[in-house]
Amino acid sequence: MSGYKVEICGVNTAELPLLKSDEKTELLKRIKAGDKEAKDKFIKGNLRLVLSIVSRFNQTDESKDDLFQIGCVGMIKAINNFDISQNVQFSTYAVPMIIGEIRRFLRDSSSPIRVSRSLKDTAYKAIHAREMLTKQHQKEPTITEIASEIGIAQEDIILALDAIQTPVSLHEPVYSDGNDTLYVMDQIKDKKDGEESWVNKIALKEAMKRLSTRERQIINLRFFDGKTQMEAAEEIGISQAQVSRLEKCALRNMKHFLS
């Protein structure tokens, strides 16, 4: 791993290589064929992803360099296990594995992950509201209903609930009879070809058509190519603030159309 170690403090992420979607696809194909050079290039092209995840653990006592190294281990595991035949972005698959690897390291090294009091308070309010609404209506409430009940933004509720949970890797073993091991991913139902999913995809495509060219480009980069706002800004040639504003506007317009 020493070959991929960088200085976390003061690192200029703009100097790290940035891979385009088609480059990632081609490199992954070469990696599965045993191309070590392609693997090295792919790892270096995803260091930004590891750095962004490491930044979430800034309240631990562990060295950022150590966390970065562990995060790279998780990324390499994700590369080794990634199935290119599945219609999933690598970043979507890799993020929980990288987070899980870092959390296991912190747990094993007895370094607690500290969650801020405000996040805990929000999470506990959301949990209490969920239990209360479930009893009242005899069904699980949506995030929107919980947000309306406690007067807190949906995004903040999701962030708070995620902060108090420990992510589980898709490759976490849940049972073994000595021969075959059952993993978490084996128990996840595949709904991608369901009728409801098919209808939703059509509605989504129609909503996308209502956007401007720039808004559609940003939505594609952010949610289909798995890029960060900074990466999308660099590719388009505008500021991150502009990407954020256009993204919010596009999502608002799509939500209005879909509702």
Side-chain angles (χ1 to χ4, degrees):
M1 290 303 304
S2 59
Y4 304 113
K5 185 172 181 178
V6 300
E7 292 295 328
I8 300 296
C9 298
V11 65
N12 182 3
T13 57
E15 295 179 355
L16 294 174
L18 181 63
L19 300 175
K20 294 183 179 180
S21 181
D22 55 346
E23 289 181 300
K24 291 180 181 179
T25 301
E26 179 59 31
L27 285 173
L28 284 168
K29 290 179 180 178
R30 289 168 54 190
I31 290 170
K32 293 305 177 182
D35 190 330
K36 293 184 178 180
E37 183 179 346
K39 188 173 184 178
D40 288 342
K41 185 175 181 180
F42 192 82
I43 290 172
K44 292 176 182 177
N46 281 277
L47 292 182
R48 289 169 180 252
L49 178 63
V50 179
L51 284 171
S52 67
I53 293 173
V54 168
S55 67
R56 303 182 188 182
F57 296 87
N58 56 7
Q59 295 186 20
T60 69
D61 295 327
E62 295 293 335
S63 162
K64 288 292 189 296
D65 289 323
D66 290 341
L67 294 183
F68 178 73
Q69 294 295 316
I70 299 301
C72 286
V73 170
M75 179 178 64
I76 292 174
K77 286 183 178 181
I79 294 172
N80 292 338
N81 292 287
F82 186 64
D83 185 354
I84 59 177
S85 67
Q86 300 297 317
N87 188 26
V88 177
Q89 292 292 329
F90 174 76
S91 58
T92 302
Y93 176 82
V95 166
M97 293 196 71
I98 296 171
I99 292 177
E101 199 70 31
I102 293 175
R103 286 185 180 275
R104 278 191 291 275
F105 168 74
L106 293 173
R107 183 173 62 246
D108 294 343
S109 62
S110 301
S111 176
I113 301 173
R114 294 194 294 273
V115 180
S116 69
R117 171 54 58 184
S118 61
L119 278 178
K120 287 182 180 179
D121 289 343
T122 297
Y124 296 149
K125 287 178 181 178
I127 293 171
H128 177 72
R130 181 172 61 194
E131 294 175 351
M132 182 187 67
L133 291 171
T134 299
K135 290 180 180 179
Q136 286 181 354
H137 304 290
Q138 297 300 307
K139 66 175 184 178
E140 186 81 10
T142 64
I143 289 293
T144 302
E145 291 170 336
I146 294 174
S148 177
E149 177 67 26
I150 63 179
I152 297 176
Q154 297 180 47
E155 295 81 2
D156 293 337
I157 293 175
I158 294 172
L159 177 63
L161 291 175
D162 179 69
I164 64 172
Q165 296 185 44
T166 302
V168 177
S169 168
L170 290 174
H171 291 270
E172 192 80 28
V174 295
Y175 173 76
S176 176
D177 62 1
N179 295 315
D180 296 326
T181 301
L182 182 67
Y183 298 94
V184 172
M185 67 184 303
D186 297 325
Q187 297 184 310
I188 299 176
K189 183 178 180 181
D190 184 3
K191 299 181 179 179
K192 66 180 182 180
D193 294 323
E195 181 179 351
E196 182 180 353
S197 175
W198 179 68
V199 173
N200 287 338
K201 285 180 180 178
I202 294 177
L204 181 60
K205 286 183 179 179
E206 290 300 315
M208 289 280 286
K209 291 179 181 178
R210 304 297 182 98
L211 303 178
S212 67
T213 302
R214 177 57 57 82
E215 289 175 338
R216 190 159 53 247
Q217 184 181 15
I218 289 174
I219 294 298
N220 279 324
L221 288 171
R222 292 279 289 122
F223 300 100
F224 292 92
D225 293 345
K227 295 184 182 296
T228 64
Q229 287 187 350
M230 181 64 74
E231 290 170 340
E234 290 177 357
E235 183 161 330
I236 298 173
I238 60 177
S239 68
Q240 182 179 1
Q242 288 176 295
V243 169
S244 178
R245 179 176 57 80
L246 289 169
E247 178 184 317
K248 289 178 181 178
C249 181
L251 292 175
R252 187 165 55 248
N253 291 337
M254 292 175 68
K255 181 180 179 180
H256 177 73
F257 174 77
L258 292 172
S259 61

